[in-house]
Amino acid sequence: MTDSHAATQHGPELLHHFADEEQQRNSASLGMWLFLGTEIMFFGGMFLAYLVYRLNYFTDFAAASSSIKVPLGAINTAVLLCSSLTVVMAVRAAQMGKRKLLIWMLILTLIFGLAFLAIKGVEWHEKYEEHHIPGNFMGRAFDISDIQQAHPKLFVDPQHAQIFFSLYFAMTGIHALHMIVGVGIFIWLIYKAWKGDFGPKYYTPVEIAGLYWHFVDVVWIYLFPLIYLIDRKPL
Amino acid sequence: MSEHGGSTKLYWIIWASLIVLTFVTAGVAYLDLGKFNTVVALAIATFKATLVILFFMHVKDASERLTKVVIISSIFWLLIMLGLSLADFGTRTIGS
């Protein structure tokens, strides 16, 4: 290594096939966005299925949707938005080399993420208690007589309501799975930040994990109105 | 990377707007706007998503052009899938 490469004198954070740190960061960012492009199509397929059935079975979907508690969904939206704020603060802390602040922001993000999953769990448990899980989950046959009673003026087709709840569990379930993956990534980030691996010259993992986290937030921004708020007008 | 160590004021403003819009969208759902309930809900969601993408994901001033091309084409593919499929399913009824 007597050539020009040794003469450029860069730290271990810069891989030698990149010209400089900015190029390395941009490449990582581009790669993450390509992955998010596949994620957009992945979630897009489920949104499409949802839209097709919602167009056809609108009243059944609206009635089934009204059995889900809006406050739980709204609070969870706020929780996720707070976690997105702590993520951008974490990226900024890493850029400025503030290790302690970075660790705290990552821990806060983790707490918000776990709070989201806990609230989600409460909501799912409620659906289980109400017999709203499609099929015959753990001996509880799907039953929407409570939804039918709440909407005396219209007939709610149980088959169509079942499609709504299948999509509800698939979409919030896959979203929650992404949250669980995010929680794992952030635990790893906290460990790396604790070791002091991140600083102004190298914070790529914080930044691209942040991109992933924000993307999951954006998916929820659409899930909230589409699942919880189909038709809440007084009858 | 122009935002290096800048003020956090912008982040707080974006966050506050997102929180306010969340409660606006929840509140508007209880009003009877006819077909416009869905339109308003999706418009607010899209506005919120745009705020997150531009400011929190730093697309506005920190991404290079190639990244922006990837983002715009991803959204474009999504719109092709949704648009063409709904042009079909939206103009007929399932089972008929």
Side-chain angles (χ1 to χ4, degrees), chain A residues 97-113:
Chain A
K98 294 183 176 170
R99 176 172 163 271
K100 256 194 167 169
L101 182 65
L102 168 63
I103 293 171
W104 275 115
M105 286 302 144
L106 293 174
I107 289 174
L108 273 177
T109 309
L110 189 65
I111 292 171
F112 283 130

PDB file of all heavy atoms in Angstrom, chain A residues 97-113:
ATOM      1  N   GLY A  97     -21.980  14.866  16.707  1.00  0.00           N
ATOM      2  CA  GLY A  97     -21.079  14.160  17.616  1.00  0.00           C
ATOM      3  C   GLY A  97     -21.507  14.189  19.070  1.00  0.00           C
ATOM      4  O   GLY A  97     -20.676  14.013  19.970  1.00  0.00           O
ATOM      5  N   LYS A  98     -22.786  14.428  19.331  1.00  0.00           N
ATOM      6  CA  LYS A  98     -23.266  14.432  20.722  1.00  0.00           C
ATOM      7  C   LYS A  98     -23.728  13.030  21.099  1.00  0.00           C
ATOM      8  O   LYS A  98     -24.882  12.673  20.889  1.00  0.00           O
ATOM      9  CB  LYS A  98     -24.421  15.433  20.867  1.00  0.00           C
ATOM     10  CG  LYS A  98     -24.000  16.877  20.663  1.00  0.00           C
ATOM     11  CD  LYS A  98     -25.186  17.798  20.891  1.00  0.00           C
ATOM     12  CE  LYS A  98     -24.785  19.257  20.788  1.00  0.00           C
ATOM     13  NZ  LYS A  98     -25.959  20.147  20.761  1.00  0.00           N
ATOM     14  N   ARG A  99     -22.814  12.254  21.670  1.00  0.00           N
ATOM     15  CA  ARG A  99     -23.081  10.841  21.921  1.00  0.00           C
ATOM     16  C   ARG A  99     -24.208  10.621  22.908  1.00  0.00           C
ATOM     17  O   ARG A  99     -25.095   9.797  22.698  1.00  0.00           O
ATOM     18  CB  ARG A  99     -21.787  10.183  22.417  1.00  0.00           C
ATOM     19  CG  ARG A  99     -21.950   8.717  22.801  1.00  0.00           C
ATOM     20  CD  ARG A  99     -20.602   8.071  23.093  1.00  0.00           C
ATOM     21  NE  ARG A  99     -20.766   6.824  23.818  1.00  0.00           N
ATOM     22  CZ  ARG A  99     -20.815   6.744  25.148  1.00  0.00           C
ATOM     23  NH1 ARG A  99     -20.726   7.851  25.870  1.00  0.00           N
ATOM     24  NH2 ARG A  99     -20.974   5.574  25.738  1.00  0.00           N
ATOM     25  N   LYS A 100     -24.190  11.371  24.008  1.00  0.00           N
ATOM     26  CA  LYS A 100     -25.212  11.174  25.036  1.00  0.00           C
ATOM     27  C   LYS A 100     -26.603  11.483  24.501  1.00  0.00           C
ATOM     28  O   LYS A 100     -27.555  10.721  24.703  1.00  0.00           O
ATOM     29  CB  LYS A 100     -24.920  12.086  26.239  1.00  0.00           C
ATOM     30  CG  LYS A 100     -24.324  11.338  27.409  1.00  0.00           C
ATOM     31  CD  LYS A 100     -24.390  12.200  28.661  1.00  0.00           C
ATOM     32  CE  LYS A 100     -24.103  11.383  29.896  1.00  0.00           C
ATOM     33  NZ  LYS A 100     -23.905  12.234  31.079  1.00  0.00           N
ATOM     34  N   LEU A 101     -26.725  12.617  23.804  1.00  0.00           N
ATOM     35  CA  LEU A 101     -28.012  13.017  23.239  1.00  0.00           C
ATOM     36  C   LEU A 101     -28.492  11.965  22.245  1.00  0.00           C
ATOM     37  O   LEU A 101     -29.661  11.582  22.219  1.00  0.00           O
ATOM     38  CB  LEU A 101     -27.880  14.383  22.553  1.00  0.00           C
ATOM     39  CG  LEU A 101     -29.154  14.964  21.960  1.00  0.00           C
ATOM     40  CD1 LEU A 101     -30.152  15.280  23.061  1.00  0.00           C
ATOM     41  CD2 LEU A 101     -28.856  16.226  21.151  1.00  0.00           C
ATOM     42  N   LEU A 102     -27.550  11.465  21.421  1.00  0.00           N
ATOM     43  CA  LEU A 102     -27.886  10.438  20.439  1.00  0.00           C
ATOM     44  C   LEU A 102     -28.472   9.212  21.135  1.00  0.00           C
ATOM     45  O   LEU A 102     -29.539   8.709  20.749  1.00  0.00           O
ATOM     46  CB  LEU A 102     -26.632  10.054  19.638  1.00  0.00           C
ATOM     47  CG  LEU A 102     -26.734   8.792  18.775  1.00  0.00           C
ATOM     48  CD1 LEU A 102     -27.785   8.961  17.689  1.00  0.00           C
ATOM     49  CD2 LEU A 102     -25.391   8.451  18.142  1.00  0.00           C
ATOM     50  N   ILE A 103     -27.796   8.750  22.189  1.00  0.00           N
ATOM     51  CA  ILE A 103     -28.278   7.552  22.891  1.00  0.00           C
ATOM     52  C   ILE A 103     -29.672   7.793  23.467  1.00  0.00           C
ATOM     53  O   ILE A 103     -30.566   6.960  23.337  1.00  0.00           O
ATOM     54  CB  ILE A 103     -27.278   7.140  24.004  1.00  0.00           C
ATOM     55  CG1 ILE A 103     -25.969   6.659  23.357  1.00  0.00           C
ATOM     56  CG2 ILE A 103     -27.857   6.032  24.879  1.00  0.00           C
ATOM     57  CD1 ILE A 103     -24.841   6.425  24.346  1.00  0.00           C
ATOM     58  N   TRP A 104     -29.882   8.972  24.059  1.00  0.00           N
ATOM     59  CA  TRP A 104     -31.204   9.264  24.644  1.00  0.00           C
ATOM     60  C   TRP A 104     -32.291   9.315  23.589  1.00  0.00           C
ATOM     61  O   TRP A 104     -33.401   8.813  23.796  1.00  0.00           O
ATOM     62  CB  TRP A 104     -31.165  10.575  25.435  1.00  0.00           C
ATOM     63  CG  TRP A 104     -30.684  10.349  26.825  1.00  0.00           C
ATOM     64  CD1 TRP A 104     -29.531  10.831  27.383  1.00  0.00           C
ATOM     65  CD2 TRP A 104     -31.316   9.546  27.838  1.00  0.00           C
ATOM     66  NE1 TRP A 104     -29.401  10.370  28.680  1.00  0.00           N
ATOM     67  CE2 TRP A 104     -30.480   9.586  28.985  1.00  0.00           C
ATOM     68  CE3 TRP A 104     -32.488   8.790  27.892  1.00  0.00           C
ATOM     69  CZ2 TRP A 104     -30.797   8.904  30.159  1.00  0.00           C
ATOM     70  CZ3 TRP A 104     -32.803   8.122  29.067  1.00  0.00           C
ATOM     71  CH2 TRP A 104     -31.961   8.179  30.176  1.00  0.00           C
ATOM     72  N   MET A 105     -31.971   9.930  22.443  1.00  0.00           N
ATOM     73  CA  MET A 105     -32.976  10.020  21.376  1.00  0.00           C
ATOM     74  C   MET A 105     -33.316   8.632  20.828  1.00  0.00           C
ATOM     75  O   MET A 105     -34.465   8.335  20.516  1.00  0.00           O
ATOM     76  CB  MET A 105     -32.469  10.928  20.244  1.00  0.00           C
ATOM     77  CG  MET A 105     -32.495  12.392  20.615  1.00  0.00           C
ATOM     78  SD  MET A 105     -34.171  12.888  21.068  1.00  0.00           S
ATOM     79  CE  MET A 105     -33.868  14.045  22.367  1.00  0.00           C
ATOM     80  N   LEU A 106     -32.287   7.764  20.720  1.00  0.00           N
ATOM     81  CA  LEU A 106     -32.540   6.402  20.239  1.00  0.00           C
ATOM     82  C   LEU A 106     -33.390   5.632  21.250  1.00  0.00           C
ATOM     83  O   LEU A 106     -34.309   4.900  20.874  1.00  0.00           O
ATOM     84  CB  LEU A 106     -31.212   5.673  19.996  1.00  0.00           C
ATOM     85  CG  LEU A 106     -30.349   6.209  18.845  1.00  0.00           C
ATOM     86  CD1 LEU A 106     -29.006   5.481  18.808  1.00  0.00           C
ATOM     87  CD2 LEU A 106     -31.067   6.056  17.515  1.00  0.00           C
ATOM     88  N   ILE A 107     -33.104   5.829  22.539  1.00  0.00           N
ATOM     89  CA  ILE A 107     -33.879   5.128  23.581  1.00  0.00           C
ATOM     90  C   ILE A 107     -35.331   5.616  23.555  1.00  0.00           C
ATOM     91  O   ILE A 107     -36.267   4.816  23.640  1.00  0.00           O
ATOM     92  CB  ILE A 107     -33.231   5.332  24.971  1.00  0.00           C
ATOM     93  CG1 ILE A 107     -31.915   4.536  25.044  1.00  0.00           C
ATOM     94  CG2 ILE A 107     -34.181   4.893  26.087  1.00  0.00           C
ATOM     95  CD1 ILE A 107     -31.110   4.774  26.312  1.00  0.00           C
ATOM     96  N   LEU A 108     -35.516   6.939  23.408  1.00  0.00           N
ATOM     97  CA  LEU A 108     -36.883   7.477  23.338  1.00  0.00           C
ATOM     98  C   LEU A 108     -37.641   6.885  22.147  1.00  0.00           C
ATOM     99  O   LEU A 108     -38.812   6.518  22.252  1.00  0.00           O
ATOM    100  CB  LEU A 108     -36.845   9.004  23.208  1.00  0.00           C
ATOM    101  CG  LEU A 108     -36.772   9.798  24.509  1.00  0.00           C
ATOM    102  CD1 LEU A 108     -36.670  11.286  24.204  1.00  0.00           C
ATOM    103  CD2 LEU A 108     -37.997   9.525  25.367  1.00  0.00           C
ATOM    104  N   THR A 109     -36.947   6.788  21.003  1.00  0.00           N
ATOM    105  CA  THR A 109     -37.577   6.206  19.813  1.00  0.00           C
ATOM    106  C   THR A 109     -38.029   4.782  20.102  1.00  0.00           C
ATOM    107  O   THR A 109     -39.145   4.378  19.764  1.00  0.00           O
ATOM    108  CB  THR A 109     -36.585   6.194  18.632  1.00  0.00           C
ATOM    109  OG1 THR A 109     -36.040   7.502  18.479  1.00  0.00           O
ATOM    110  CG2 THR A 109     -37.257   5.758  17.351  1.00  0.00           C
ATOM    111  N   LEU A 110     -37.136   4.044  20.762  1.00  0.00           N
ATOM    112  CA  LEU A 110     -37.441   2.656  21.111  1.00  0.00           C
ATOM    113  C   LEU A 110     -38.671   2.595  22.015  1.00  0.00           C
ATOM    114  O   LEU A 110     -39.570   1.766  21.815  1.00  0.00           O
ATOM    115  CB  LEU A 110     -36.219   2.064  21.822  1.00  0.00           C
ATOM    116  CG  LEU A 110     -36.222   0.560  22.084  1.00  0.00           C
ATOM    117  CD1 LEU A 110     -36.187  -0.196  20.772  1.00  0.00           C
ATOM    118  CD2 LEU A 110     -35.013   0.179  22.943  1.00  0.00           C
ATOM    119  N   ILE A 111     -38.729   3.498  22.996  1.00  0.00           N
ATOM    120  CA  ILE A 111     -39.868   3.502  23.930  1.00  0.00           C
ATOM    121  C   ILE A 111     -41.164   3.812  23.179  1.00  0.00           C
ATOM    122  O   ILE A 111     -42.184   3.146  23.372  1.00  0.00           O
ATOM    123  CB  ILE A 111     -39.630   4.519  25.068  1.00  0.00           C
ATOM    124  CG1 ILE A 111     -38.483   4.026  25.963  1.00  0.00           C
ATOM    125  CG2 ILE A 111     -40.898   4.733  25.890  1.00  0.00           C
ATOM    126  CD1 ILE A 111     -38.007   5.046  26.986  1.00  0.00           C
ATOM    127  N   PHE A 112     -41.116   4.822  22.289  1.00  0.00           N
ATOM    128  CA  PHE A 112     -42.318   5.154  21.500  1.00  0.00           C
ATOM    129  C   PHE A 112     -42.734   3.951  20.641  1.00  0.00           C
ATOM    130  O   PHE A 112     -43.911   3.638  20.514  1.00  0.00           O
ATOM    131  CB  PHE A 112     -42.063   6.367  20.605  1.00  0.00           C
ATOM    132  CG  PHE A 112     -42.097   7.678  21.345  1.00  0.00           C
ATOM    133  CD1 PHE A 112     -41.069   8.603  21.202  1.00  0.00           C
ATOM    134  CD2 PHE A 112     -43.169   8.003  22.167  1.00  0.00           C
ATOM    135  CE1 PHE A 112     -41.104   9.823  21.882  1.00  0.00           C
ATOM    136  CE2 PHE A 112     -43.208   9.221  22.843  1.00  0.00           C
ATOM    137  CZ  PHE A 112     -42.167  10.128  22.699  1.00  0.00           C
ATOM    138  N   GLY A 113     -41.743   3.282  20.039  1.00  0.00           N
ATOM    139  CA  GLY A 113     -42.049   2.127  19.198  1.00  0.00           C
ATOM    140  C   GLY A 113     -42.726   1.018  19.993  1.00  0.00           C
ATOM    141  O   GLY A 113     -43.714   0.422  19.559  1.00  0.00           O
TER     142      GLY A 113
END
